């Protein structure tokens, strides 16, 4: 199973009294989202399921991908890494899953899968980490296929 973790692009800081869920992308974040969406479009199979946090910044991040996606409330800021894995049906899913979410949760998911330990790994804004587990029952078949940053994408 392929699991792609895509952290939302750069967002504005919360204004006084503003709900964190309503933070929008900055112009830089919009550019990051477009660049990463272009790269993901060229890499993701058509069968990929896309799961997105309900936060505005994640919705704006996935929008340039121009694919159907499902909003999953268990991916909201502060989500538990286990909830992310359950939503993705890891490692038993048949199709690749792209999760668009937040820190520290996505870094915790990557750390848990790759090291077996709950740790706070950093996934930078707008970056995507692509993990693959060839056999659902064989944790030794897990590997990190790639990490991509929007500033590495050549147009």
């Amino acid at each position: 199973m392929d699991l792609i973790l895509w952290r939302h692009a750069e967002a504005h800081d919360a204004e006084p009294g503003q709900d964190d869920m309503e933070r929008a992308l900055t112009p830089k974040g919009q550019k990051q989202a477009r660049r990463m969406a272009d790269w993901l479009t060229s890499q993701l199979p058509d069968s990929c399921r896309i799961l997105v946090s309900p936060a505005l910044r994640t919705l704006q991040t996935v929008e340039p991908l121009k694919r159907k996606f499902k909003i999953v409330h268990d991916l909201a800021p502060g989500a538990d890494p286990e909830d992310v894995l359950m939503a993705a049906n890891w490692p038993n899913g048949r199709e690749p899953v792209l999760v668009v979410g937040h820190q520290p949760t996505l870094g915790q998911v990557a750390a848990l899968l790759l090291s077996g330990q709950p740790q706070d790994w950093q996934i930078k804004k707008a970056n995507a980490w692509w993990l693959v587990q060839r056999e659902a029952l064989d944790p030794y078949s897990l590997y990190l296929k790639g990490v991509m940053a929007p500033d590495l994408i050549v147009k």
Side-chain angles (χ1 to χ4, degrees):
M1 176 181 180
D2 290 29
L3 178 64
I4 303 96
L5 306 173
W6 185 12
R7 184 178 176 193
H8 68 78
E10 181 181 275
H12 291 284
D13 292 333
E15 299 290 327
Q18 180 184 23
D19 184 347
D20 178 62
M21 297 290 286
E22 297 303 318
R23 292 175 41 218
L25 295 184
T26 64
K28 178 181 177 181
Q30 293 169 1
K31 181 179 178 182
Q32 291 172 331
R34 284 191 305 271
R35 291 185 88 157
M36 188 57 70
D38 287 347
W39 181 78
L40 286 167
T41 296
S42 72
Q43 303 298 315
L44 293 175
D46 292 337
S47 64
C48 185
R49 287 190 313 128
I50 302 170
L51 308 177
V52 183
S53 157
L56 177 60
R57 58 193 178 273
T58 54
L59 297 172
Q60 290 177 327
T61 296
V62 78
E63 187 176 89
L65 197 56
K66 296 181 179 151
R67 291 195 188 195
K68 289 183 180 182
F69 59 87
K70 181 179 179 183
I71 296 171
V72 179
H73 292 278
D74 285 343
L75 302 179
D80 184 77
E82 293 294 337
D83 290 338
V84 173
L85 295 173
M86 283 182 55
N89 194 25
W90 177 268
N92 301 310
R94 294 179 185 248
E95 65 276 328
V97 176
L98 170 64
V99 173
V100 185
H102 309 272
Q103 273 298 101
T105 305
L106 294 182
Q108 293 168 347
V109 169
L112 185 60
L113 292 178
L114 293 171
S115 76
Q117 302 294 319
Q119 300 177 49
D120 288 329
W121 287 4
Q122 179 72 314
I123 294 180
K124 293 189 169 227
K125 291 178 182 167
N127 284 11
W129 287 38
W130 195 311
L131 300 104
V132 177
Q133 186 161 331
R134 290 186 185 162
E135 300 293 329
L137 299 176
D138 180 9
Y140 294 108
S141 70
L142 173 68
Y143 65 95
L144 179 62
K145 183 175 181 176
V147 174
M148 182 54 76
D151 57 335
L152 294 177
I153 301 167
V154 180
K155 288 193 112 184

